[in-house]
Amino acid sequence: MTEPTPVPDHAGGGADTVAARPNSAPVTARDQGGATNGHAHECVRRRGLSLAAEAAAAADGDQRSADDVEAGIVALWQAFGERRDQELRDRLVLHYAPLVKYVAGRVGTGLPSHVEVSDLIQSGIFGLVDAIEKFEPERGLKFETYAMQRIRGAILDDLRAQDWVPRSVRSRARDVERALERLEAKLQRTATDAELAAELELSLDELRELFAQLQMTSVIALDDLIGAGPMQASLAETLPDDRAEDPVAALVDRDSRRQLAEAVERLSERDRVVVTLYYFENLTLAEIGKVLGVTESRVCQLHTRAVLRLRTKLTEAG
């Protein structure tokens, strides 16, 4: 089983990302990327351009400079804008593919170990294709910044689609975590339920109901590896099976049966007959008396004597 990955509500999704649209006012780099720091945007753009240039140079098998590659891409964009040919689009996808790997690696940081980066890359490719088809080079904007937001949005949208927990519940879980952090930092101890409820402005009943809703978010993947080195094992392999036979208990039981059988064999013949008929044949004391031709009280005396002798022999055997 796999666990759905929680996704922050404030993360940019494909539906929330601003795309370049016809007949709209020019969009700035701040509008397309949602960033507030121009210097950070420029660093991201240069990183994306560098990755794309390296990929194109490697694909062509030559040592062209980044300026030559960028000039060729400009021409490719112009041709794609005129013809909207699928072959030209595929060449653009191949050129900007390193952007997908770069964004997927950053999004994957901090996600559970069962989330494969290859799955994030697959989702990001769809975002890249969508960005290429909707981008308008004539606006004079940088494609790398715009595409990275579309790629990130496509990845987050896919992660949210795989999550069975509603986003409202995820949001409430983060609210509870932040409230606990504030309380424990202020009180320097573990906060009680009453204190937490007061911090969240809830009643105790409402807080307990909230905890019940948050139970569905506390799941783990059974195929997660634990341990280190050659002793690695999946979590599923460490779960006990209550229906499985305990080998230690089975060994002790077999040894106890062997000692009991040996002790019975060392009893006198009459005592052994009484024990056999009473415990293995399930006869009553009266029925055993008829078999032996004695009274029921005499059989009771024989049974008591046999049990005491067995107990002594088993105690000596240790």
Side-chain angles (χ1 to χ4, degrees), residues 22-265:
N23 302 323
S24 62
V27 184
T28 63
R30 175 186 298 249
D31 294 329
Q32 285 194 349
T36 58
N37 190 316
H39 178 68
H41 251 209
E42 181 63 20
C43 291
V44 170
R45 185 194 70 80
R46 291 179 180 177
R47 173 60 177 167
L49 181 59
S50 176
L51 289 170
E54 292 172 4
D60 294 341
D62 56 28
Q63 300 296 326
R64 292 183 297 170
S65 66
D67 293 338
D68 294 337
V69 173
E70 188 170 8
I73 290 301
V74 170
L76 186 60
W77 272 114
Q78 292 176 348
F80 179 70
E82 295 172 357
R83 298 201 303 259
R84 291 288 170 176
D85 185 70
Q86 183 175 355
E87 181 181 353
L88 296 177
R89 188 199 65 182
D90 292 343
R91 291 179 61 184
L92 288 171
V93 170
L94 179 63
H95 175 73
Y96 291 108
L99 290 176
V100 178
K101 184 176 181 180
Y102 174 71
V103 175
R106 297 194 62 179
V107 173
T109 303
L111 293 180
S113 58
H114 70 271
V115 179
E116 298 288 342
V117 177
S118 59
D119 295 336
L120 303 182
I121 292 176
Q122 182 178 4
S123 303
I125 288 294
F126 291 102
L128 176 60
V129 172
D130 185 62
I132 291 174
E133 292 180 346
K134 294 181 178 180
F135 184 66
E136 299 179 9
E138 61 272 13
R139 293 180 178 272
L141 306 177
K142 295 298 181 182
F143 174 77
E144 291 80 4
T145 302
Y146 170 66
M148 290 172 75
Q149 293 298 320
R150 300 292 298 185
I151 294 168
R152 184 173 184 270
I155 293 174
L156 295 179
D157 284 346
D158 190 56
L159 289 175
R160 292 190 183 112
Q162 299 177 27
D163 191 0
W164 69 74
V165 181
R167 293 179 63 183
S168 60
V169 176
R170 295 287 187 193
S171 178
R172 293 307 300 266
R174 285 191 295 272
D175 293 340
V176 172
E177 291 174 359
R178 296 189 189 103
L180 280 174
E181 291 176 359
R182 291 195 303 268
L183 280 176
E184 292 179 356
K186 180 172 62 177
L187 301 174
Q188 295 300 309
R189 60 175 173 80
T190 302
T192 64
D193 287 350
E195 293 169 339
L196 180 59
E199 180 71 17
L200 294 171
E201 299 181 354
L202 300 174
S203 65
L204 279 176
D205 291 338
E206 291 174 336
L207 180 63
R208 294 190 180 101
E209 183 179 352
L210 177 59
F211 282 154
Q213 295 176 356
L214 298 183
Q215 284 180 354
M216 68 179 69
T217 66
S218 302
V219 294
I220 54 178
L222 291 178
D223 57 353
D224 279 350
L225 294 179
I226 59 177
M231 301 303 294
Q232 277 190 346
S234 67
L235 182 61
E237 295 174 337
T238 66
L239 298 178
D241 185 359
D242 297 332
R243 295 173 296 179
E245 184 180 12
D246 185 357
V248 176
L251 180 62
V252 171
D253 181 65
R254 186 166 63 240
D255 188 62
S256 298
R257 289 174 179 271
R258 179 187 58 79
Q259 292 181 9
L260 179 60
E262 293 176 354
V264 171
E265 288 296 328

Side-chain angles (χ1 to χ4, degrees), residues 233-308:
S234 67
L235 182 61
E237 295 174 337
T238 66
L239 298 178
D241 185 359
D242 297 332
R243 295 173 296 179
E245 184 180 12
D246 185 357
V248 176
L251 180 62
V252 171
D253 181 65
R254 186 166 63 240
D255 188 62
S256 298
R257 289 174 179 271
R258 179 187 58 79
Q259 292 181 9
L260 179 60
E262 293 176 354
V264 171
E265 288 296 328
R266 291 197 295 269
L267 292 174
S268 63
E269 183 177 357
R270 177 165 285 195
D271 291 347
R272 188 165 60 251
V273 170
V274 171
V275 170
T276 302
L277 294 177
Y278 187 75
Y279 289 102
F280 295 96
E281 301 297 334
N282 296 322
L283 297 182
T284 64
L285 295 179
E287 292 171 338
I288 295 174
K290 292 179 181 180
V291 173
L292 298 178
V294 297
T295 63
E296 182 177 352
S297 60
R298 179 55 182 166
V299 174
C300 183
Q301 294 173 1
L302 294 174
H303 172 265
T304 303
R305 184 180 68 181
V307 169
L308 291 175

